[in-house]
Amino acid sequence: MSTKGWSNIASSPATAFLQKKYSKTAKWYDILDAPWEKVYAEKIRPFVIGELTGQDILEAGVGTGRNLAFYNTEKCQQVTAFDLSKEMLHVASTRIPQKLKVSLRLDDATTLRTFNDRSFDVYVSTFLFCVLPNSCQQDAVGQMVRVLKPGGKFRIVEMVYSKDPWTYAKQLFCIPYVRWMYGAGFDKRTLDILQNRTDIKITNSKFLHLDTYLFVEGEKL
């Protein structure tokens, strides 16, 4: 395991509050998050992560490393995973499977200062973009495209507001806790931003649960 760049400050002004939030909650994050993880996320991760293949994979917003157990070690040669919280990365470092080659870095999805252009075959993120402020979405997508190799693939999962009245009402009830716990929201326009770019192509877009857990995949042209 490599921890290159952990001593760097990895937060733009717009995401500084997220770095502070997750640094404070890292120790208790998995306990507070356990009910949601068991009911929803744990069922989604095998599909999103388990099918990945490539020499150089970048996981954006690795958090406490919940995805790491689902990588296929026979198909994934090198996984580089970053987060903007050093404390979250320390938890993630305890979850690295023995046979998986992982490099953990401290960085910000909106700047990716520690990464070179055209470096990765795959970019994957689960529940990162629903955490990023709307003002940061364009920058994060732009950085994703920058670090992907031509023909590189991306997979993104986020949460959006449901069009079903009952589900939407439940989301409104939960949103104060979601904002407090994760700094997240269901009002992001990530799919619109991806669709409006001319340097990538969306190959698949679907819901993984109800009409709230949105999965998007595509490739860099």
Side-chain angles (χ1 to χ4, degrees):
M1 179 191 69
S2 168
T3 55
K4 182 179 179 181
W6 280 34
S7 61
N8 295 336
I9 296 174
S11 178
S12 66
T15 53
F17 81 100
L18 288 174
Q19 184 180 50
K20 184 177 180 180
K21 175 182 290 291
Y22 283 104
S23 294
K24 285 184 176 180
T25 61
K27 186 176 181 181
W28 310 106
Y29 182 88
D30 286 341
I31 297 174
L32 295 170
D33 194 53
W36 174 79
E37 178 69 26
K38 189 68 176 176
V39 175
Y40 300 111
E42 195 175 81
K43 299 173 183 177
I44 290 172
R45 298 187 196 278
F47 164 73
V48 178
I49 303 299
E51 296 183 359
L52 293 177
T53 179
Q55 289 187 333
D56 295 294
I57 296 172
L58 180 63
E59 181 175 337
V62 66
T64 60
R66 291 282 197 182
N67 286 333
L68 296 177
F70 298 99
Y71 283 94
N72 187 325
T73 55
E74 295 181 359
K75 296 181 179 180
C76 303
Q77 296 187 19
Q78 169 70 47
V79 176
T80 303
F82 73 85
D83 202 272
L84 52 66
S85 165
K86 187 186 299 185
E87 289 77 10
M88 296 288 272
L89 286 173
H90 278 298
V91 179
S93 69
T94 67
R95 283 204 165 102
I96 298 176
Q98 258 189 336
K99 296 182 179 180
L100 186 65
K101 187 177 181 182
V102 177
S103 172
L104 296 177
R105 294 199 193 182
L106 186 70
D107 213 327
D108 185 330
T110 66
T111 55
L112 296 187
R113 297 184 185 99
T114 66
F115 298 103
N116 297 323
D117 297 354
R118 299 179 295 278
S119 299
F120 296 97
D121 301 300
V122 178
Y123 176 107
V124 62
S125 72
T126 55
F127 313 111
L128 166 66
F129 282 86
C130 51
V131 170
L132 291 174
N134 277 312
S135 61
C136 297
Q137 297 276 318
Q138 291 276 9
D139 288 339
V141 171
Q143 289 299 314
M144 175 192 79
V145 176
R146 178 181 70 81
V147 302
L148 275 173
K149 299 174 184 177
K153 314 294 184 183
F154 62 85
R155 285 189 150 201
I156 294 171
V157 179
E158 68 164 325
M159 294 182 68
V160 297
Y161 275 120
S162 173
K163 293 181 180 179
D164 173 72
W166 175 238
T167 304
Y168 177 68
K170 289 192 291 184
Q171 288 179 303
L172 289 180
F173 177 79
C174 294
I175 196 64
Y177 175 78
V178 170
R179 286 175 178 157
W180 171 78
M181 175 65 185
Y182 308 104
F186 307 135
D187 59 343
K188 314 306 179 184
R189 296 293 181 265
T190 312
L191 180 58
D192 292 339
I193 293 171
L194 292 169
Q195 289 174 329
N196 288 332
R197 291 192 69 104
T198 59
D199 48 5
I200 59 176
K201 176 177 68 174
I202 294 175
T203 57
N204 189 16
S205 174
K206 64 180 181 180
F207 288 107
L208 301 181
H209 178 70
L210 300 178
D211 62 340
T212 56
Y213 288 74
L214 178 63
F215 170 75
V216 184
E217 65 179 336
E219 61 183 55
K220 179 178 177 179
L221 300 176

